[in-house]
Amino acid sequence: MRLPSPLPRRLALLPFLLLLALLPSLPSAAAAGGGPAAWEALRVAAPARRASPAEQEAAAVGVLRRLLPNHAHSFRFQIDSKGSVCGESSCFRISNVAENSGKGGAEILIQGTSGVELASGLHWYLKYWCGAHISWDKTGGAQLASVPSPGSLPQVNGAGVKIVRPVPWNYYQNVATSSYSFVWWDWKRWEKEIDWMALQGINLPLAFTGQEAIWQKVFKSFNVTNRDLDNFFGGPAFLAWARMGNLHGWGGPLSQNWLDQQLALQKEILSRMIELGMVPVLPSFSGNVPAVFKNLFPSANITKLGDWNTVDGDPRWCCTYLLDPSDALFIDVGQAFIRQQIKEYGDVTNIYNCDTFNENTPPTNEPAYISSLGSAIYEAMSRGNKDAVWLMQGWLFYSDASFWKEPQMKALLHSVPIGKMIVLDLFADVKPIWKMSSQFYGVPYIWCMLHNFGGNIEMYGILDSVSSGPIDARTSNNSTMIGVGMCMEGIEHNPVVYELMSEMAFRSKEVEVEDWLKSYSYRRYGHTNAEIDKAWSLLYHTIYNCTDGIADHNKDYIVEFPDISPSAVSSKRRGMSIASKHRGFLLSEVSASLPHPHLWYSTKEAIKALEMFINAGNDFSESLTYRYDLVDLTRQCLSKLANEVYLDAMSSYKKKDSNGLNYHTKKFLELIVDIDTLLAADDNFLLGPWLESAKGLAMTEVERKQYEWNARTQVTMWYDNTKTEQSKLHDYANKFWSGLLKSYYLPRASKYFAYLTRSLQENRSFQLEEWRKDWISYSNEWQSGKELYSVTATGDALAISRLLYKKYLS
């Protein structure tokens, strides 16, 4: 066996040992997940128009050229159109090009069932033969320095290696990702994402961009005017929730420029997805209609929904209208929408997403009624496309579990023929529904990792669950699992979690995470280092081992500052002391009125991992992936320290200890400034790119102002407020970004502590309402601001991390 020259021998052997475990051929349909009816549904779910083998091969070459332009001729791609390699399964095979005569010719042959399989095979080879690593640009980007020059690529042992998908689908996205992460993307950024998706093996992506332009045309046919739609569509950064019927008008209206621009972008997105052999999931009608429908169709069964998180029920964006699926008009609108998409895009898919019951509880729990609603929703799809398959998020079965008992679940799931519905077990990494629903009562489902809420920046994960969860589900008795998926609300964080989850689309057995992490760290940074290996072992057993069953949503006090009187803060602290030489590292117990930041690991151990990262810095100082991880881990440790400093300040206030309050206030504010300085040292932790990308899509000054307001508001107040009451969703999409800390979080905390200090000095109660007026006014001004923020990093990340470690943590 010829070993890849850049790899140490022990690491070079590991990939082959891992690959050998994946060599068995595809198990039977029943064993792999899903019965015959489910697998038949998969067959008919493929669209009528698919890219030809030549088009898919060319698309895979395009991915290669954009990734490794110097190696454009080093690989040969071949679609297995006759099934001689993969049979009836989805697979890729990596082998040597037999007739390769040396320099300039193709060295490695990758065969597969689709363009996605070809790209996945390329990625697998680059990872496990060349020691390369491919990540989002905002998490350090690709580490490709270990890939040998053309003509020197490592050979594959024997006849090659065939990797078979144990389940056919690999799903990607959450309905909220389009707003938290994709909203300001242009085609250049989308092209990179679709390349990333193909390399990760994603073949079932949600494709929601541009749907408002389709709705504009559909609603026009029902006599709805553009003016009526101004109050229906949300602003660009809030479209996900307008689409779901949670709100209307907030951040809008949408200009015709936006509608046309996004529709054109969607056509580019879909075209590339189809070229690669992906099956895009398009939206369908969930019942959400403009308010004018009540007047246009007075006899229709239209319900005004209740308030969703507004401060005081302002009708400008509160309380949307839902057309009942049992009404004949529902089918007319739903059919028109599907057909308009086919007219615009062609026959690109048979799979449509609809979540009409997501956070919208049916008016009765009567199973017969629920079944009739489900049947009507599917009929609207099937009238538009006779081969339609309904894909539904299973979030409702978790979030509204008190309503969705077995009779109600069965009524909905069995309201359409088995095989015509696919359920996303959206939160299976933490709260798997397949276990308590008898595998969704026979309905095909996809095991999904949700992982992230609000696009928050927080190091978090459950690597053991990712490694074992899909395997346990697929191999369980009577399994109906037909895929794996990633359903995060926001992307571009925690690359280790997403790399492992992506691999589970191709793994038949549970991954030994400890060994996999050694390979991962080598690939991510380009060479081995004992300190880094030890650090990743610690991170695996701490930060990436959350087993408390709590959904992680970052509530660190810097980015989600408590809106309470200090008298509400309990001084009690309990259990599990993990104090280092620095005081205050305790798992704290606080009153129910104080949001408690999620802490599931020993901060002492995380600080040890940081020390090891810093010690390895001289070996990795030029590595962008190392810099990203170092900054992120330093930020994580300091933000947890800041939580304790905040509680210390509250304790001093309650004791009327002005000196203590002054000390802890100064330290908390100093931490904000220092963390901002740290984040400024990496391009991927900056506020500026978010704002500039928003403004970059504008074609007029009015749009430019609106888009920037949308971008600023989403990451701060999020929704409406009064002068003395903040948004109920404030800080939901909080971000640890340089610029945001100094300009937004720091003034807010400064104002609060100034009111605390004045309260002690004047010996009077804390003026909570006055503080609220002060900072809410500041927030609203900031949301409408035009200040510029840096789009490039400044400072030496390693030097700053060393300094802050010594200052606060050593």
Side-chain angles (χ1 to χ4, degrees), residues 470-509:
I471 309 300
D472 293 343
R474 179 178 58 82
T475 58
S476 61
N477 291 334
N478 302 313
S479 177
T480 56
M481 175 181 159
I482 59 170
V484 296
M486 297 184 288
C487 297
M488 61 283 116
E489 288 190 350
I491 63 167
E492 299 176 319
H493 50 73
N494 290 289
V496 65
V497 176
Y498 292 91
E499 177 149 342
L500 181 59
M501 186 65 235
S502 295
E503 283 199 13
M504 298 314 297
F506 298 100
R507 292 199 175 272
S508 300
K509 296 181 180 178

Side-chain angles (χ1 to χ4, degrees), residues 502-563:
S502 295
E503 283 199 13
M504 298 314 297
F506 298 100
R507 292 199 175 272
S508 300
K509 296 181 180 178
E510 185 176 334
V511 174
E512 292 296 330
V513 178
E514 195 93 50
D515 290 337
W516 183 87
L517 280 172
K518 291 178 182 178
S519 171
Y520 171 83
S521 65
Y522 165 80
R523 290 184 285 103
R524 182 152 171 82
Y525 309 124
H527 58 89
T528 57
N529 179 283
E531 291 280 299
I532 287 288
D533 284 348
K534 291 177 185 176
W536 270 108
S537 181
L538 282 176
L539 294 176
Y540 165 45
H541 293 291
T542 53
I543 287 175
Y544 291 113
N545 185 37
C546 181
T547 59
D548 60 13
I550 297 175
D552 187 66
H553 184 221
N554 192 291
K555 292 184 178 296
D556 287 342
Y557 294 133
I558 288 177
V559 292
E560 187 167 323
F561 201 79
D563 179 27

Side-chain angles (χ1 to χ4, degrees), residues 5 111 194 291 369 555 596:
S5 56
Q111 299 163 290
I194 296 171
Y369 176 76
K555 292 184 178 296
H596 188 191

Side-chain angles (χ1 to χ4, degrees), residues 41-62:
L42 296 177
R43 186 186 66 79
V44 301
R49 183 178 72 78
R50 299 203 62 148
S52 69
E55 287 175 311
Q56 294 189 58
E57 289 165 2
V61 171

Side-chain angles (χ1 to χ4, degrees), residues 593-807:
S593 59
L594 179 68
H596 188 191
H598 187 195
L599 184 61
W600 63 95
Y601 61 89
S602 162
T603 54
K604 182 179 179 181
E605 294 298 291
I607 291 169
K608 282 184 184 177
L610 173 59
E611 181 182 14
M612 293 171 184
F613 255 86
I614 291 172
N615 290 343
N618 290 338
D619 288 345
F620 296 107
S621 58
E622 300 302 314
S623 167
L624 297 180
T625 46
Y626 166 79
R627 186 178 73 183
Y628 173 88
D629 290 344
L630 174 67
V631 170
D632 203 19
L633 181 55
T634 308
R635 174 211 56 76
Q636 182 88 3
C637 292
L638 292 177
S639 66
K640 302 309 172 189
L641 172 61
N643 293 339
E644 298 305 325
V645 174
Y646 170 86
L647 293 175
D648 287 339
M650 296 301 101
S651 178
S652 294
Y653 174 84
K654 292 186 72 174
K655 295 175 183 176
K656 300 187 182 300
D657 177 5
S658 57
N659 289 333
L661 175 60
N662 181 61
Y663 173 81
H664 296 303
T665 293
K666 182 180 178 182
K667 188 173 183 181
F668 187 84
L669 300 180
E670 194 172 356
L671 274 163
I672 296 178
V673 173
D674 284 345
I675 294 173
D676 189 283
T677 301
L678 167 73
L679 299 176
D682 190 282
D683 291 327
N684 306 303
F685 294 94
L686 305 178
L687 169 64
W690 171 255
L691 299 182
E692 294 306 312
S693 61
K695 291 183 283 186
L697 289 185
M699 298 178 69
T700 68
E701 185 57 36
V702 171
E703 290 172 353
R704 182 182 175 90
K705 183 178 180 181
Q706 179 194 11
Y707 297 174
E708 182 168 9
W709 183 91
N710 269 252
R712 286 169 172 258
T713 297
Q714 190 207 83
V715 299
T716 54
M717 192 64 77
W718 204 106
Y719 209 9
D720 66 332
N721 60 264
T722 66
K723 289 184 178 181
T724 58
E725 189 174 357
Q726 65 184 335
S727 163
K728 292 180 181 178
L729 295 175
H730 77 97
D731 297 322
Y732 184 88
N734 64 64
K735 303 288 190 293
F736 273 98
W737 282 341
S738 176
L740 193 59
L741 267 74
K742 275 189 178 179
S743 72
Y744 189 79
Y745 300 136
L746 178 63
R748 176 171 62 181
S750 298
K751 291 175 185 296
Y752 185 84
F753 286 121
Y755 277 90
L756 278 186
T757 300
R758 194 178 311 151
S759 172
L760 283 187
Q761 291 173 343
E762 298 176 359
N763 194 27
R764 63 172 182 164
S765 62
F766 179 74
Q767 303 299 297
L768 180 61
E769 187 165 303
E770 291 304 309
W771 170 71
R772 284 174 174 167
K773 285 181 182 178
D774 198 348
W775 89 258
I776 291 174
S777 174
Y778 178 85
S779 177
N780 293 160
E781 289 177 10
W782 190 91
Q783 290 164 243
S784 299
K786 294 183 179 180
E787 309 84 21
L788 296 178
Y789 295 91
S790 177
V791 295
T792 56
T794 55
D796 183 329
L798 177 58
I800 294 169
S801 291
R802 282 174 171 158
L803 179 66
L804 296 182
Y805 175 83
K806 184 177 181 180
K807 180 176 180 179

